[in-house]
């Protein structure tokens, strides 16, 4: 039977308690994460958005009726507990912020009972997305999603503070209005007042912010909701939030400067990471030539290398045909993959075909220094060796490597094939998860 919290007032969130509070009487409220009954000794982990605190009921320090009540608790029961903060009598738990303290209860109220949840309320859930979305209110209790919500709130707060200090005005623009010419289809809302007419939900506030600039607003910022009727992709969904801005009487460097300092502030305040300014810049053409992508990941190498000059006189018709048609022949050096099995090469071939290539050609340096090539029969030994010194493979310093080329396409399509293949190879390269690299274009 659920009890009332009348007369109780929460004094602390669970994760806010620390050794500083030892000896204090506190009131906490939250969900039961885990309950362990050891027979006369009951350990209950109580969770809220701030973290977890352990509550201990033990014979000799807790009333028998309270121990019995604590033993009846189940996962996701909502409880209110009044008790005294004490240092842990057992081992300290270094995995949680409150790991050196516990609460000895003097009062326990069950505010709401709960059925057994359909999946554990824990981080990194392996539960199918369909189940998690069906029980979204349970899914959102998971600590990793709680942290995501907290981080977004922090980012939004810092964004408003920063741009206000930079002289920007936050202006809300209409949701229902004239459609904005963009790259996707519009979501339409029928008008009751004007039968046969429709409003278009904004794909971006583009028209409105141009109007604001003409109106002398000078510096505009908005955390804007946008809507685009397009197929789902990894970085696309029907509705999303963007930080939208517009500035008057500035040049490109002014806009980049404002945003670089904004990113520096965000990384420092949210992630405790110092970003060095100015952020590295490169042109779009350089990014496509070196990485095959306009959003390159700089945490690993495998840059594209142009070997057109090396292969222009070879006997491999596919190479020469590409060059005669004004294209180029480029390669990626996937270090440490010289012993790549045929099955994996076939998978890579199938992968690049999804992006329009007809196949791939490769040169592999085996561990014993021998060279294996998928097009060796079309080239002389000298021509094959000529591929090695151009910077794709350093035979003396790293003998187990693979040189892969895609000769069938050139221009933007070639770059797209290379860019996606380079990203596919990223798992074979070491990426430092703690490093941050940025680019301005």
């Amino acid at each position: 039977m659920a009890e009332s919290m009348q007369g109780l007032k929460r004094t602390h969130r669970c994760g806010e308690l620390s050794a500083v509070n030892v000896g204090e009487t506190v009131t906490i409220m939250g969900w039961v994460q885990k309950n362990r009954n050891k027979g006369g000794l009951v350990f209950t982990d109580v969770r809220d958005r701030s973290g977890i605190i352990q509550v201990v009921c033990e014979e000799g320090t807790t009333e028998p009726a309270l121990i019995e009540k604590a033993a009846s608790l189940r996962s996701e029961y909502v409880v209110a507990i009044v008790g005294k903060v004490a240092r842990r009598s057992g081992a300290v738990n270094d995995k949680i912020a409150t790991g050196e303290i516990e609460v000895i209860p003097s009062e326990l109220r069950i505010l709401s009972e709960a059925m057994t949840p359909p999946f554990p309320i824990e981080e990194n859930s392996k539960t199918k997305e369909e189940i998690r979305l069906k029980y979204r209110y349970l899914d959102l209790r998971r600590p990793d999603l709680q942290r995501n919500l907290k981080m977004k709130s922090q980012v939004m707060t810092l964004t408003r503070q920063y741009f206000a200090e930079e002289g920007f005005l936050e202006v809300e623009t209409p949701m229902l209005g004239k459609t904005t010419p963009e790259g996707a289809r519009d979501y339409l809302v029928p008008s009751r007042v004007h039968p046969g007419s429709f409003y278009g939900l904004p794909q971006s506030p583009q028209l409105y912010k141009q109007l604001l600039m003409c109106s002398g607003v000078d510096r505009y910022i908005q955390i804007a909701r946008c809507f685009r009727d397009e197929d789902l992709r990894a970085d696309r969904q029907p509705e999303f939030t963007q930080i939208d801005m517009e500035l008057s009487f500035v040049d490109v460097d002014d806009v980049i400067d404002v945003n670089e300092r904004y990113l520096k502030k965000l990384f420092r305040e949210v992630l405790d990471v110092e970003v060095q300014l100015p952020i590295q810049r490169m042109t779009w053409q350089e990014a496509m030539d070196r990485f095959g992508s306009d959003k390159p990941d700089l945490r690993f190498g495998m840059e594209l290398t142009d070997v057109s000059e090396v292969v222009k006189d070879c006997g491999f018709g596919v190479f020469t045909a590409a060059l005669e048609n004004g294209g180029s022949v480029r390669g990626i050096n996937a270090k440490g993959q010289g012993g790549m099995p045929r099955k994996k090469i076939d998978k890579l071939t199938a992968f690049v075909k999804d992006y329009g290539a007809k196949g791939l050609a490769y040169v592999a340096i085996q561990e014993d220094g021998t060279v294996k090539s998928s097009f060796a029969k079309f080239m002389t030994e000298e021509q094959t060796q000529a591929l090695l010194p151009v910077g794709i493979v350093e035979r003396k310093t790293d003998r187990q490597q693979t040189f892969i080329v895609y000769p069938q396409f050139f221009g933007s399509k070639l770059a797209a094939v290379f860019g996606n293949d380079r990203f596919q190879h990223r798992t074979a390269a070491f990426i430092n998860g703690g490093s941050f690299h940025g680019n301005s274009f």
Side-chain angles (χ1 to χ4, degrees), residues 4-152:
S4 171
M5 59 176 282
Q6 187 173 0
L8 295 182
K9 185 175 180 63
R10 182 171 63 178
T11 60
H12 299 79
R13 289 192 173 91
C14 297
E16 295 173 350
L17 296 172
S18 68
V20 176
N21 304 107
V22 170
E24 295 181 12
T25 298
V26 299
T27 301
I28 58 173
M29 300 180 185
W31 287 261
V32 174
Q33 178 71 21
K34 186 186 298 182
N35 199 48
R36 293 154 288 164
N37 184 3
K38 303 295 184 181
L41 180 62
V42 180
F43 298 95
T44 305
D45 291 341
V46 180
R47 180 197 76 242
D48 64 14
R49 82 176 194 196
S50 65
I52 290 177
I53 186 70
Q54 178 174 272
V55 179
V56 180
C57 299
E58 185 176 10
E59 290 180 350
T61 59
T62 311
E63 295 180 1
L66 202 155
I67 295 177
E68 183 180 353
K69 190 173 185 179
S72 69
L73 297 177
R74 297 292 180 268
S75 177
E76 297 310 301
Y77 276 30
V78 184
V79 296
I81 295 172
V82 180
K84 185 169 290 188
V85 180
R87 293 190 179 274
R88 288 203 181 193
S89 55
V92 171
N93 185 352
D94 296 328
K95 296 181 179 179
I96 57 176
T98 59
E100 59 180 334
I101 59 172
E102 58 192 17
V103 173
I104 310 300
S106 57
E107 183 178 356
L108 165 63
R109 297 188 193 181
I110 300 176
L111 304 181
S112 177
E113 296 180 350
M115 294 185 293
T116 302
F119 53 86
I121 309 301
E122 60 187 12
E123 293 192 44
N124 304 317
S125 175
K126 299 298 189 294
T127 306
K128 290 183 178 180
E129 186 178 43
E130 293 81 359
I131 300 298
R132 291 194 292 108
L133 291 177
K134 180 178 180 180
Y135 299 97
R136 188 61 164 169
Y137 63 96
L138 296 177
D139 188 43
L140 289 173
R141 295 180 189 175
R142 296 194 294 113
D144 45 346
L145 291 189
Q146 291 277 317
R147 282 197 300 271
N148 290 347
L149 293 173
K150 182 180 178 181
M151 179 183 288
K152 181 176 180 180

Side-chain angles (χ1 to χ4, degrees), residues 390-405:
V390 297
I392 296 180
V393 285
E394 301 83 15
R395 189 169 185 176
K396 294 180 181 179
T397 59
D398 189 351
R399 299 178 72 180
Q400 188 181 2
Q401 304 187 21
T402 299
F403 165 36
I404 303 176
V405 292

Side-chain angles (χ1 to χ4, degrees), residues 156-279:
M156 297 298 99
T157 299
L158 290 170
T159 298
R160 288 188 165 96
Q161 290 175 350
Y162 172 81
F163 284 106
E165 292 169 359
E166 291 292 321
F168 284 75
L169 297 182
E170 183 175 359
V171 182
E172 285 188 349
T173 55
M175 285 287 188
L176 298 176
K178 183 179 177 63
T179 60
T180 304
E182 298 280 356
R185 293 179 296 272
D186 292 307
Y187 282 107
L188 300 179
V189 180
S191 170
R192 179 186 60 82
V193 179
H194 305 285
S197 297
F198 296 82
Y199 299 105
L201 297 182
Q203 294 187 40
S204 76
Q206 186 66 37
L207 292 178
Y208 299 115
K209 67 183 181 183
Q210 292 174 356
L211 183 150
L212 290 171
M213 291 303 101
C214 293
S215 303
V217 170
D218 193 271
R219 289 193 167 195
Y220 142 87
I221 183 72
Q222 181 181 187
I223 299 173
R225 296 293 289 171
C226 302
F227 306 85
R228 295 183 180 180
D229 183 8
E230 56 186 354
D231 296 335
L232 292 176
R233 303 202 299 273
D235 57 351
R236 289 287 187 270
Q237 59 186 35
E239 56 177 309
F240 57 93
T241 303
Q242 71 181 33
I243 299 174
D244 194 65
M245 70 184 71
E246 194 69 65
L247 300 81
S248 293
F249 310 115
V250 293
D251 58 23
V252 172
D253 288 334
D254 294 325
V255 176
I256 291 177
D257 174 66
V258 167
N259 283 279
E260 283 187 342
R261 288 186 289 108
Y262 165 63
L263 291 175
K264 181 179 177 69
K265 180 182 179 68
L266 279 189
F267 272 75
R268 182 177 63 247
E269 299 291 338
V270 178
L271 299 175
D272 195 26
V273 171
E274 284 295 333
V275 175
Q276 298 301 316
L277 299 183
I279 295 174

Side-chain angles (χ1 to χ4, degrees), residues 301-313:
M302 293 193 294
E303 294 189 21
L304 280 61
T305 302
D306 194 327
V307 294
S308 300
E309 284 298 312
V310 177
V311 302
K312 64 181 181 180
D313 297 322

